[in-house]
Amino acid sequence: MILTHGANSISRGNQNQVEIGGRLYPYVQIGNQLWLAENLELDITGSIKNAEHPEFGRYYNYSQMDAIPCPQGWRLATYSDLQSLDSNANHSSDRLLVSGDSGFNAMLCGEYYSNFNTWDGVGSVFRMWSSTEYVAYNRYQLALYPNNPIQIGFGAETYRPVRLVKDA
């Protein structure tokens, strides 16, 4: 299936999968990139799960990013990857959410603030780390809010989901 919006297209065919840490993850093609269609579930020391929402996958903090193993050709999303995703989704968060037409299937899983021992944004925002540092102890992040443009910002020491990407 090819979904076209303006000059950008998102293609979604049969469900493809990649093995990461002994588990199969579905992925979809968005523009010229392959993206995981769900959050990673790798149990890396210090990573956490939301006990009330195990379907959200695991959450990782800034210091755990470098410990995430990537299959050959796959990588943690960079700032440039987030910009490409934004462009190929025509700047629409809704296209990347579970109800969207891209197959990216972002759930409104929020993030965890360890300093305050609290979950934030569950049910209202999807946030995901990138591997690109903004400044020391800050990395760029993707934020998706329903009915809003995609936001690319930066964040500090919180726990967020991670997805991998690969050039198609």
Side-chain angles (χ1 to χ4, degrees), residues 52-81:
E52 294 180 21
H53 296 282
E55 69 275 15
F56 291 161
R58 296 197 76 81
Y59 293 70
Y60 307 89
N61 69 20
Y62 176 92
S63 62
Q64 295 161 333
M65 299 290 290
D66 296 330
I68 295 172
C70 298
Q72 185 173 353
W74 291 84
R75 64 184 175 275
L76 295 167
T78 64
Y79 177 70
S80 178
D81 293 327

Side-chain angles (χ1 to χ4, degrees), residues 79-95:
Y79 177 70
S80 178
D81 293 327
L82 298 183
Q83 289 177 310
S84 293
L85 183 64
D86 177 37
S87 178
N88 286 310
N90 240 17
H91 316 292
S92 169
S93 289
D94 292 333
R95 292 194 81 189

Side-chain angles (χ1 to χ4, degrees), residues 1-146:
M1 169 189 289
I2 301 287
L3 305 167
T4 307
H5 190 78
N8 302 311
S9 65
I10 297 174
S11 65
R12 179 175 52 187
N14 294 332
Q15 192 78 308
N16 297 308
Q17 297 181 327
V18 60
E19 184 177 334
I20 304 169
R23 184 175 185 275
L24 292 175
Y25 290 87
Y27 64 86
V28 294
Q29 183 168 346
I30 301 175
N32 293 324
Q33 295 177 313
L34 304 176
W35 284 89
L36 291 188
E38 60 186 53
N39 301 339
L40 280 179
E41 288 269 2
L42 296 172
D43 190 2
I44 293 173
T45 301
S47 65
I48 61 171
K49 284 190 75 105
N50 183 331
E52 294 180 21
H53 296 282
E55 69 275 15
F56 291 161
R58 296 197 76 81
Y59 293 70
Y60 307 89
N61 69 20
Y62 176 92
S63 62
Q64 295 161 333
M65 299 290 290
D66 296 330
I68 295 172
C70 298
Q72 185 173 353
W74 291 84
R75 64 184 175 275
L76 295 167
T78 64
Y79 177 70
S80 178
D81 293 327
L82 298 183
Q83 289 177 310
S84 293
L85 183 64
D86 177 37
S87 178
N88 286 310
N90 240 17
H91 316 292
S92 169
S93 289
D94 292 333
R95 292 194 81 189
L96 300 176
L97 295 173
V98 169
S99 58
D101 61 5
S102 69
F104 189 78
N105 295 329
M107 292 186 274
L108 302 176
C109 56
E111 60 195 332
Y112 180 75
Y113 287 94
S114 58
N115 293 346
F116 303 106
N117 194 28
T118 187
W119 293 95
D120 183 58
V122 174
S124 63
V125 64
F126 170 82
R127 293 189 191 275
M128 176 184 85
W129 284 118
S130 83
S131 63
T132 307
E133 279 193 345
Y134 175 72
V135 295
Y137 303 107
N138 280 274
R139 293 185 190 242
Y140 284 98
Q141 64 162 346
L142 176 75
L144 306 175
Y145 294 88

